[in-house]
Amino acid sequence: MNILLIGSGGRENALAWKMAQSERLTKLYIAPGNAGTCLCGENVALNPNDHPAVINFIVEKNIDLVVVGPEDPLCKGLHDAISNDSRTASVPVVGPKAEGAQLEGSKEFAKAFMVRHNIPTAGYKSITLTNIAEGEAFLETLKAPYVLKADGLAAGKGVLILDNLEEAKSELKEMLSGKFGAASNTVVIEEYMSGIELSVFVLTDGESYCILPEAKDYKRIGEHDTGLNTGGMGAVSPVPFANEDFMKKVEERIVKPTVDGLKKDGIEYKGFIFLGLMNCDGDPRVIEYNVRMGDPETEVVMPRIESDLVELLYAAGRGELAGKKIEISKQTCCTVMMVAGGYPGDYRKGDIMTGFDKVEGSILFHAGTKVDGNGNVVTNGGRVIAVSSLGKDKNEALAKSYANVDYIQFADCYFRRDIGKDLDKYLK
């Protein structure tokens, strides 16, 4: 079959890499893709938010399945546009319509959904300029640290965790005054949850679901989880504390109520659900929903999936996921993200990358890369490339990744050398 994959990051490279292994795949197009995705299929210069152009491409190339990688096109109604056009209405799309995408697009919507369907999460209150005094009063009832979240999409920067009450009140006013643009017209104040985070991924057709391998990612730029938040500096799968008992709680208390809740609310949902969870003394609670796979978690999840991904995605898009099984490798997969110097602040693009020919035993998933006019692979983003490896355990997988990271060269490159170290205590 012919497939159109939307996106350009490491997540999309990992999805493309796995899809390319399927015997069911005839042709894979990636829009717009990067220097890694073009090794799995054909990159095409399509703007995902130009709905007429995407629809014309689907018709022209006889696309049988559309897979949407990032959240922004989903929140902007790409799935709706495809389904509403008579020429493409029958083409299955993996990724929810705009209504379902509010699970990620609106923190307020997501929290109300969780409360409505008795899904464990932190206590919260939604605040606008009209009830800011109520917000300040709510902050006074909480213990530090204080969590403030912009309601809308803020490019991963709309969450503040503050230790000082007065600072929290000040930041609340700044957010409501436009600190994150329209995304913070509403601010969700949350009770702080203490524990260790992990990510659980679900593929659903709105009725049935498959639970994919879980993962733990590392968001801070500095080692020992210091410094600014990033899009993710590395990831590990499986997660050693996510044992059978814990994952049973996740399924019974969160996965099933989420899928059932969407159905009860009349929300058609075909695609991925990313559960950002906190393990609070053995009990899972939801930090947030995302409506797509995580990045860099996808770069450790895909190598562990032994089933035909195209078959699973096509079944989800067509509402035929019932009875489908997913085979998962018992090996551990670890990824180390190499980033541009200065990231997540200002950074340079266009630096030539070398050393790809020396890499052995790892998979390279490109994120912020492109091929320049001279045929060189150059940097084209803050997070540049993920080096993923499989091993019999975490240490073996990480040793492979770090050995190969040393071969990849570009100006001012940076990476963390402590990915997965915090999990050692769970492996004893």
Side-chain angles (χ1 to χ4, degrees):
M1 67 180 71
N2 297 327
I3 300 177
L4 173 62
L5 171 62
I6 301 292
S8 63
R11 168 183 48 229
E12 287 74 39
N13 194 175
L15 288 168
W17 172 83
K18 189 61 185 176
M19 283 190 235
Q21 299 170 17
S22 174
E23 293 182 357
R24 300 195 64 179
L25 181 68
T26 303
K27 180 76 174 183
L28 176 62
Y29 299 95
I30 309 97
N34 59 39
T37 57
C38 63
L39 302 176
C40 309
E42 180 182 335
N43 289 351
V44 291
L46 269 181
N47 177 354
N49 292 320
D50 185 345
H51 296 169
V54 174
I55 289 167
N56 289 337
F57 185 87
I58 293 170
V59 174
E60 177 188 340
K61 300 296 184 181
N62 295 310
I63 298 298
D64 300 296
L65 175 68
V66 177
V67 180
V68 185
E71 68 280 7
D72 186 58
L74 295 169
C75 292
K76 291 180 177 174
L78 178 57
H79 186 160
D80 306 69
I82 293 169
S83 296
N84 291 338
D85 192 295
S86 60
R87 297 169 296 164
T88 54
S90 63
V91 177
V93 178
V94 176
K97 293 181 178 178
E99 185 180 22
Q102 288 184 91
L103 278 180
E104 179 167 0
S106 169
K107 300 291 191 300
E108 183 179 30
F109 177 92
K111 296 295 285 191
F113 175 90
M114 285 184 261
V115 170
R116 189 161 61 249
H117 298 292
N118 298 309
I119 296 166
T121 189
Y124 81 103
K125 187 174 287 290
S126 295
I127 303 299
T128 66
L129 281 172
T130 62
N131 66 336
I132 193 167
E134 200 175 320
E136 292 178 336
F138 182 61
L139 282 168
E140 290 172 359
T141 69
L142 302 175
K143 294 180 181 179
Y146 306 94
V147 181
L148 306 179
K149 295 183 177 181
D151 174 56
L153 298 178
K157 299 176 182 178
V159 178
L160 301 180
I161 300 175
L162 306 160
D163 291 319
N164 181 276
L165 176 60
E166 293 308 314
E167 186 182 0
K169 290 180 179 180
S170 176
E171 286 289 353
L172 174 63
K173 292 175 183 175
E174 283 195 36
M175 290 175 75
L176 291 170
S177 299
K179 180 171 184 173
F180 299 108
S184 59
N185 286 346
T186 297
V187 173
V188 174
I189 302 174
E190 281 191 7
E191 164 199 12
Y192 180 79
M193 292 189 289
S194 180
I196 185 167
E197 294 183 33
L198 76 156
S199 304
V200 172
F201 303 96
V202 178
L203 177 65
T204 183
D205 62 3
E207 295 277 349
S208 302
Y209 60 85
C210 291
I211 299 178
L212 280 61
E214 79 283 357
K216 185 179 189 311
D217 78 324
Y218 295 82
K219 290 187 171 63
R220 299 279 188 167
I221 188 67
E223 294 183 2
H224 312 297
D225 289 323
T226 58
L228 297 173
N229 268 336
T230 72
M233 296 297 294
V236 176
S237 177
V239 180
F241 60 78
N243 56 27
E244 185 177 348
D245 179 62
F246 182 81
M247 291 304 294
K248 185 176 180 181
K249 292 178 182 177
V250 171
E251 182 168 12
E252 293 296 328
R253 301 178 188 179
I254 298 171
V255 175
K256 286 183 179 178
T258 296
V259 174
D260 290 345
L262 289 165
K263 186 178 175 182
K264 287 175 184 174
D265 289 352
I267 298 173
E268 178 186 346
Y269 198 109
K270 293 180 171 68
F272 294 108
I273 305 174
F274 169 162
L275 304 169
L277 304 180
M278 185 71 78
N279 178 355
C280 302
D281 294 323
D283 290 318
R285 300 176 77 186
V286 179
I287 302 168
E288 64 179 0
Y289 286 113
N290 292 318
V291 297
R292 35 71 188 183
M293 288 295 291
D295 193 347
E297 294 100 327
T298 311
E299 290 94 300
V300 293
V301 169
M302 289 301 131
R304 294 192 61 221
I305 295 177
E306 297 180 337
S307 306
D308 187 323
L309 182 65
V310 168
E311 183 177 333
L312 291 171
L313 294 174
Y314 192 60
R318 288 172 56 86
E320 299 171 354
L321 203 53
K324 297 289 184 183
K325 302 295 182 183
I326 182 167
E327 299 296 326
I328 298 171
S329 169
K330 294 187 182 300
Q331 288 187 293
T332 294
C333 190
C334 299
T335 196
V336 177
M337 184 67 73
M338 302 183 71
V339 305
Y343 176 80
D346 294 333
Y347 56 85
R348 192 172 60 240
K349 296 182 181 181
D351 289 317
I352 293 176
M353 303 177 64
T354 61
F356 301 112
D357 56 325
K358 298 178 182 178
V359 172
E360 291 184 6
S362 295
I363 312 160
L364 300 180
F365 292 126
H366 291 242
T369 68
K370 69 175 184 178
V371 179
D372 70 9
N374 296 316
N376 298 307
V377 176
V378 300
T379 62
N380 192 44
R383 291 191 301 156
V384 177
I385 194 166
V387 182
S388 296
S389 307
L390 287 162
K392 68 177 184 296
D393 56 29
K394 175 178 70 69
N395 290 339
E396 182 178 277
L398 280 169
K400 291 180 183 179
S401 286
Y402 280 122
N404 285 309
V405 159
D406 288 335
Y407 290 128
I408 305 297
Q409 298 292 320
F410 56 93
D412 298 325
C413 67
Y414 171 79
F415 58 92
R416 280 178 58 171
R417 286 197 175 272
D418 67 336
I419 300 302
K421 289 287 187 184
D422 61 325
L423 299 177
D424 288 345
K425 61 186 175 184
Y426 298 101
L427 296 170
K428 295 177 183 178

